[in-house]
Amino acid sequence: MIHINEALQQFHLSNGQISYIFHVMKNGQLGHLYAGKALRHREDFTYFQSYENPAPSTTHVFEKDHSFSLETVRQEFPVHGKGDFREAASIIVDEQGEFVSDFVFDSFEVIKGKPKLKGLPATFAEKEKVDTLKITLVDRESSVVADLTYSIFTDLPVLTRSVKVSNNGHQPAKIERLMSTTLDLPDADYEMLHLSGAWGRERHVKVRKLEQGIQSIGSLRGASSHQHNPFLVLQREDTTEHQGEAFGWQLVYSGNFLAQAEVDHYETTRVSMGIQPTGFQWLLQPGESFQAPESVLSYTNEGLNGLSQSLHDLQRKHLINPSWMEKERPVLINNWEATYFDFNEEKLDEFVTEASKLGVELFVLDDGWFGNRNDDTTSLGDWFVDESKLPRGIGELSKSVKAKGLQFGLWFEPEMISPESNLIKKHPDWVIGSLKRANTFGRNQRVLDFANPEVVSYLYERMSSIIEEADLDYIKWDMNRYITEPYAASVENQGEFFHRYITGVYELYDRLTSNYPNVLFESCAGGGGRFDLGMMYYAPQAWTSDDTDAAERLKIQYGTSLGYPLSSMGSHVSAVPNHQTLRSTPLKFRGDVAYFGTFGYELDPSQLQEEEKEEVKDQIRFFTKHRSLIQQGDFYRLKSPFRGLATAWMVVSEDKTKALVGWYQPMNQPNPSAHRILKLKGLNEGFEYKVNGRNNHFGDELMERGLTLPTEFNGANPGAERGGAFQSLVYELERNKAKKMND
Ligand code: DGJ
């Protein structure tokens, strides 16, 4: 998959789906030639780069040679201060304070397979499924070296890149900026799509046209954040869900990040993504190295669904904990919205007994089981069971849950400490914060210094002992406040703090998941504040949002699906009126939305009416019947909640014999059309499908003509079985086995 023309110093990575081409320019730096749909290999692609220099005012590299300017060429690892005035991939400062570096080609190495990234999560694959090209660049003046590592997968239109900087010189150097990816595109006719929002409305789809200047998203919060997600798309203006070109980037990282598109005065676009440079400064002593996180680049000409499907496959096959790649995720019930902090053994016993009758598979005991925690002001850090609530201890509670046929899971918030806790009395120096200034508050809690290995070890000891005592099947790992006053006593250079913090978090995750590979981790950060590939490497699912309102969830889950698979999205049916919006929606609507995720409940089962209990049992039967299709199938977005009244999506099995279609109409309209149809996608044209076990339709009919909506979807229709707002339908499609293709 890697073609190298040594004479011309050109590199072409291609897997038949995408091509990525670059070369060494005449100043020794790397020039970018092409990224996009796969191209036939040829010996020389140099003509893809234009070395003409239109303006007399432009800088030029060589004396009297006005044709070669870093201001106008497309580059692979652009540097700062050498005449390219766009933002650079790296800024490294030497002991004299000089910001300039000049990374030139030194050597390359082709590696079968994909080496691990030390201390960082990253994608992986068997040796025969991925090839790696390592390019070593050197700044000859300082002997600082940059290794760019590109990996291309055989089975996906995906290329990853990571960067390692090593100080091989004799003077210290400071990294001020190090982007994991930079891609210079030859034009700016793109729209930038990103997933942004806030607590309770995470990952809404935002689209804007690129304009000259920098358009960026990022986080300075110590986590990837509710506000912006480390995911960026450039799409053509005519790209839709189903057709057209798009590039998508993701960062395998959970800390502060930056993702930006810079359009210059010649309408070319530079995309950069990496650790957020604000607040970052890494000191490299001679002999030391710094590894930046991995970035993922995917290209499609099959619209946003095509792009998402490649990213979903990458994450499901090459990122998540292998123990969970094939395993079905349990239907869970979480007590948070049912009890909040107010529970005891009797209450939980009734809760679990009722849940087991409904067919739930896993009980998750949320916040409040430890220390003396009856509200959110105390006890974080004191990970010892609260015997006033659970006098028989956590092990006995677990046994009684398991005796009722359910698995058992627990909530932790390992990174936090309450000012009112025993831990803070013992280890006041373990807390992040300014020693000189007043510290900012956030949910009555402070953040532990995860850069300190002693802190990580303490948490490992506490969590592993509870995992063993309670024989845990699942852990919900929460993180409920962002980091302010980022000062940590354990860190020598405070510019390193944020990155050291998140690698400490990874270290704890790594130790726990390596030693307890069968414990299912669900990451959470006040809902979806850390929904990223760094977390997903350890925790294959994440709590998508604290907003459990099904109508709101349409937008949140639709947006999240742009970058992340259904198998990663925690989606639960909760009680009504909903606790976040105070809105009441039918149980059917709530179930129909939650099916498209990991599925579970967030309510008190003993409060359900008898007919609701029967409906819940049916929901669980329905979900478990289709679980592997939902978690492993190809997902298609059909109608966007950001564009109209209705939302629709579907999931199709790999062999196209099964599909599930979700169709939602939160608001009814009067006097609608009598014939509303929904065109399906991804089916086999020639297969005949039974729709809801009844009518038979060929795939081409369903995709070209579409399904017709029943009357209840058509507004205030007197003939309808159901009426009112929050209507939904889920169609089951199954290939009619009696019929053969082309019959
Ligand atoms: C925030 C989470 O998102 C909720 O689901 C719940 O676990 C609370 N924290 C508990 O404090």
Side-chain angles (χ1 to χ4, degrees):
M1 292 190 281
I2 300 175
H3 306 275
I4 297 166
N5 182 331
E6 287 201 49
L8 294 173
Q9 295 187 302
Q10 272 183 34
F11 303 88
H12 178 190
L13 295 95
S14 182
N15 58 5
Q17 300 187 62
I18 50 162
S19 278
Y20 191 92
I21 310 172
F22 56 90
H23 73 157
V24 179
M25 302 189 292
K26 53 187 174 181
N27 66 343
Q29 293 184 3
L30 287 189
H32 180 77
L33 293 170
Y34 176 83
K37 190 178 170 173
L39 300 177
R40 239 169 291 270
H41 182 64
R42 58 151 63 226
E43 279 311 292
D44 186 6
F45 286 104
T46 324
Y47 80 99
F48 282 5
Q49 177 79 280
S50 164
Y51 285 104
E52 272 133 52
N53 195 352
S57 65
T58 347
T59 59
H60 42 97
V61 177
F62 303 110
E63 200 179 359
K64 297 193 179 126
D65 176 1
H66 289 253
S67 68
F68 183 52
S69 169
L70 294 180
E71 214 175 316
T72 58
V73 290
R74 283 179 290 129
Q75 297 168 63
E76 202 48 33
F77 194 67
V79 296
H80 178 75
K82 292 286 297 171
D84 175 359
F85 301 105
R86 293 164 289 182
E87 294 214 308
S90 77
I91 298 181
I92 297 172
V93 187
D94 69 13
E95 226 185 2
Q96 288 70 44
E98 199 173 286
F99 279 79
V100 185
S101 38
D102 186 2
F103 282 107
V104 296
F105 178 75
D106 181 70
S107 57
F108 71 88
E109 187 188 350
V110 175
I111 303 162
K112 194 96 206 108
K114 186 169 186 292
K116 286 190 164 180
L117 293 195
K118 197 162 169 262
L120 286 173
T123 56
F124 53 84
E126 295 96 325
K127 271 206 163 76
E128 52 292 346
K129 292 212 169 134
V130 62
D131 283 343
T132 297
L133 171 65
K134 189 167 106 183
I135 301 282
T136 299
L137 307 174
V138 62
D139 175 53
R140 301 221 187 274
E141 190 53 43
S142 62
S143 297
V144 171
V145 162
D147 287 315
L148 311 185
T149 304
Y150 300 85
S151 294
I152 183 160
F153 293 83
T154 50
D155 55 348
L156 290 170
V158 170
L159 181 105
T160 61
R161 184 173 110 166
S162 61
V163 183
K164 185 170 101 179
V165 170
S166 310
N167 185 354
N168 294 348
H170 301 293
Q171 290 190 353
K174 276 187 198 146
I175 307 173
E176 303 268 342
R177 177 187 179 92
L178 187 58
M179 292 290 110
S180 296
T181 197
T182 19
L183 179 63
D184 282 356
L185 293 163
D187 68 86
D189 295 333
Y190 289 102
E191 290 174 339
M192 169 169 148
L193 180 153
H194 53 104
L195 302 176
S196 298
W199 174 88
R201 45 187 168 80
E202 296 90 338
R203 289 170 301 287
H204 282 204
V205 179
K206 313 275 172 176
V207 182
R208 61 176 102 164
K209 192 172 160 9
L210 287 191
E211 293 291 354
Q212 184 171 347
I214 294 174
Q215 27 263 291
S216 74
I217 54 165
S219 169
L220 290 163
R221 296 167 180 264
S224 48
S225 88
H226 300 87
Q227 285 69 15
H228 294 294
N229 191 264
F231 171 67
L232 188 76
V233 171
L234 291 194
Q235 60 181 19
R236 295 294 185 190
E237 272 176 73
D238 59 0
T239 296
T240 66
E241 286 285 6
H242 310 299
Q243 64 80 35
E245 275 198 307
F247 288 96
W249 290 263
Q250 284 181 308
L251 197 63
V252 190
Y253 195 57
S254 316
N256 290 347
F257 77 97
L258 174 71
Q260 68 180 39
E262 178 173 8
V263 177
D264 71 4
H265 51 303
Y266 292 120
E267 301 292 317
T268 67
T269 306
R270 170 168 298 168
V271 175
S272 311
M273 198 171 198
I275 292 179
Q276 168 68 257
T278 302
F280 171 81
Q281 188 188 62
W282 197 274
L283 178 67
L284 272 188
Q285 293 292 357
E288 289 181 347
S289 299
F290 178 79
Q291 175 65 61
E294 175 171 83
S295 62
V296 169
L297 166 65
S298 183
Y299 166 84
T300 188
N301 58 3
E302 289 170 9
L304 294 174
N305 276 317
L307 185 75
S308 302
Q309 285 168 9
S310 304
L311 296 172
H312 297 173
D313 282 346
L314 177 81
Q315 293 158 33
R316 290 185 300 198
K317 295 180 187 160
H318 301 297
L319 181 74
I320 67 167
N321 179 348
S323 311
W324 291 98
M325 279 182 182
E326 307 284 334
K327 225 186 268 176
E328 295 191 338
R329 311 292 169 72
V331 174
L332 69 81
I333 191 158
N334 180 304
N335 72 311
W336 177 241
E337 289 196 7
T339 65
Y340 294 103
F341 297 100
D342 182 18
F343 57 83
N344 55 29
E345 251 171 34
E346 292 70 54
K347 221 176 183 178
L348 294 183
D349 191 66
E350 194 193 343
F351 188 95
V352 176
T353 306
E354 288 301 320
S356 74
K357 289 188 206 152
L358 300 176
V360 171
E361 298 164 332
L362 162 71
F363 166 58
V364 180
L365 179 55
D366 209 279
D367 196 353
W369 58 267
F370 53 91
N372 183 26
R373 190 155 161 98
N374 296 312
D375 55 35
D376 65 14
T377 60
T378 73
S379 304
L380 292 169
D382 297 345
W383 300 107
F384 298 89
V385 71
D386 178 354
E387 288 179 359
S388 66
K389 284 183 190 166
L390 305 172
R392 292 183 309 133
I394 203 76
E396 287 306 309
L397 175 69
S398 169
K399 277 188 200 143
S400 69
V401 170
K402 291 187 185 209
K404 292 187 171 70
L406 274 78
Q407 298 177 335
F408 182 53
L410 269 186
W411 178 96
F412 285 89
E413 196 176 3
E415 296 152 75
M416 299 294 150
I417 184 162
S418 301
E420 213 183 301
S421 62
N422 293 328
L423 188 65
I424 212 162
K425 287 182 204 136
K426 258 173 109 179
H427 295 288
D429 55 321
W430 281 7
V431 184
I432 291 164
S434 172
L435 306 177
K436 299 182 275 197
R437 299 164 205 279
N439 284 289
T440 307
F441 297 91
R443 212 200 185 199
N444 306 306
Q445 61 199 50
R446 301 282 296 275
V447 185
L448 279 169
D449 175 10
F450 260 62
N452 180 349
E454 278 180 38
V455 173
V456 174
S457 293
Y458 167 77
L459 267 316
Y460 178 77
E461 184 281 314
R462 275 298 73 227
M463 290 175 81
S464 58
S465 114
I466 289 161
I467 291 174
E468 288 179 22
E469 187 185 342
D471 188 18
L472 290 187
D473 300 292
Y474 164 107
I475 287 179
K476 176 175 173 187
W477 179 321
D478 206 346
M479 193 261 186
N480 280 298
R481 70 154 289 179
Y482 291 126
I483 300 176
T484 58
E485 292 82 26
Y487 179 89
S490 71
V491 176
E492 221 169 284
N493 306 295
Q494 296 300 320
E496 299 177 7
F497 163 72
F498 275 115
H499 184 70
R500 289 194 184 276
Y501 174 88
I502 203 68
T503 52
V505 172
Y506 291 152
E507 166 70 19
L508 181 57
Y509 256 122
D510 193 54
R511 286 170 70 178
L512 291 169
T513 51
S514 311
N515 290 330
Y516 306 100
N518 295 321
V519 175
L520 173 61
F521 281 80
E522 176 152 347
S523 75
C524 173
R530 211 161 52 178
F531 207 118
D532 57 64
L533 299 193
M535 282 292 124
M536 202 194 287
Y537 176 81
Y538 305 102
Q541 56 194 60
W543 184 221
T544 314
S545 176
D546 271 349
D547 187 349
T548 56
D549 178 287
E552 290 293 305
R553 275 298 188 112
L554 289 173
K555 284 186 175 161
I556 297 169
Q557 292 176 204
Y558 187 97
T560 305
S561 79
L562 261 298
Y564 306 92
L566 299 186
S567 59
S568 68
M569 278 188 234
S571 54
H572 302 167
V573 173
S574 60
V576 288
N578 178 269
H579 293 200
Q580 293 75 38
T581 59
L582 306 181
R583 181 189 282 144
S584 290
T585 58
L587 183 52
K588 173 170 169 50
F589 183 74
R590 285 174 272 154
D592 286 353
V593 175
Y595 289 145
F596 291 83
T598 58
F599 198 65
Y601 290 83
E602 193 94 8
L603 45 71
D604 185 348
S606 56
Q607 298 297 310
L608 293 171
Q609 304 296 315
E610 278 316 307
E611 64 277 17
E612 288 177 322
K613 287 184 183 166
E614 291 310 310
E615 198 174 337
V616 167
K617 284 183 198 164
D618 286 344
Q619 287 181 336
I620 294 176
R621 270 193 292 269
F622 181 85
F623 176 77
T624 48
K625 177 177 167 203
H626 295 293
R627 173 162 43 193
S628 66
L629 163 64
I630 292 168
Q631 293 178 356
Q632 304 295 345
D634 293 326
F635 185 67
Y636 291 84
R637 290 171 301 273
L638 303 175
K639 273 185 177 296
S640 168
F642 298 98
R643 291 205 166 157
L645 286 181
T647 300
W649 51 44
M650 67 186 286
V651 60
V652 186
S653 65
E654 211 184 335
D655 63 5
K656 298 185 185 290
T657 58
K658 286 186 186 144
L660 214 55
V661 182
W663 201 350
Y664 311 89
Q665 182 167 278
M667 294 304 287
N668 245 343
Q669 270 184 321
N671 192 22
S673 149
H675 297 288
R676 272 199 268 163
I677 51 158
L678 179 69
K679 287 187 176 193
L680 305 188
K681 292 281 169 191
L683 302 173
N684 182 308
E685 290 181 359
F687 285 3
E688 195 183 47
Y689 294 91
K690 273 193 183 307
V691 180
N692 285 345
R694 292 191 298 272
N695 310 332
N696 294 329
H697 297 289
F698 281 104
D700 57 1
E701 288 167 59
L702 294 166
M703 293 192 290
E704 302 309 327
R705 190 273 171 186
L707 280 173
T708 310
L709 274 174
T711 43
E712 50 262 44
F713 250 82
N714 290 340
N717 189 324
E721 266 175 49
R722 296 184 280 139
F726 311 114
Q727 294 297 335
S728 61
L729 289 165
V730 173
Y731 287 98
E732 291 173 87
L733 270 64
E734 183 149 16
R735 186 183 178 191
N736 183 358
K737 290 198 191 94
K739 284 262 181 183
K740 296 235 165 54
M741 205 175 160
N742 304 325
D743 272 2

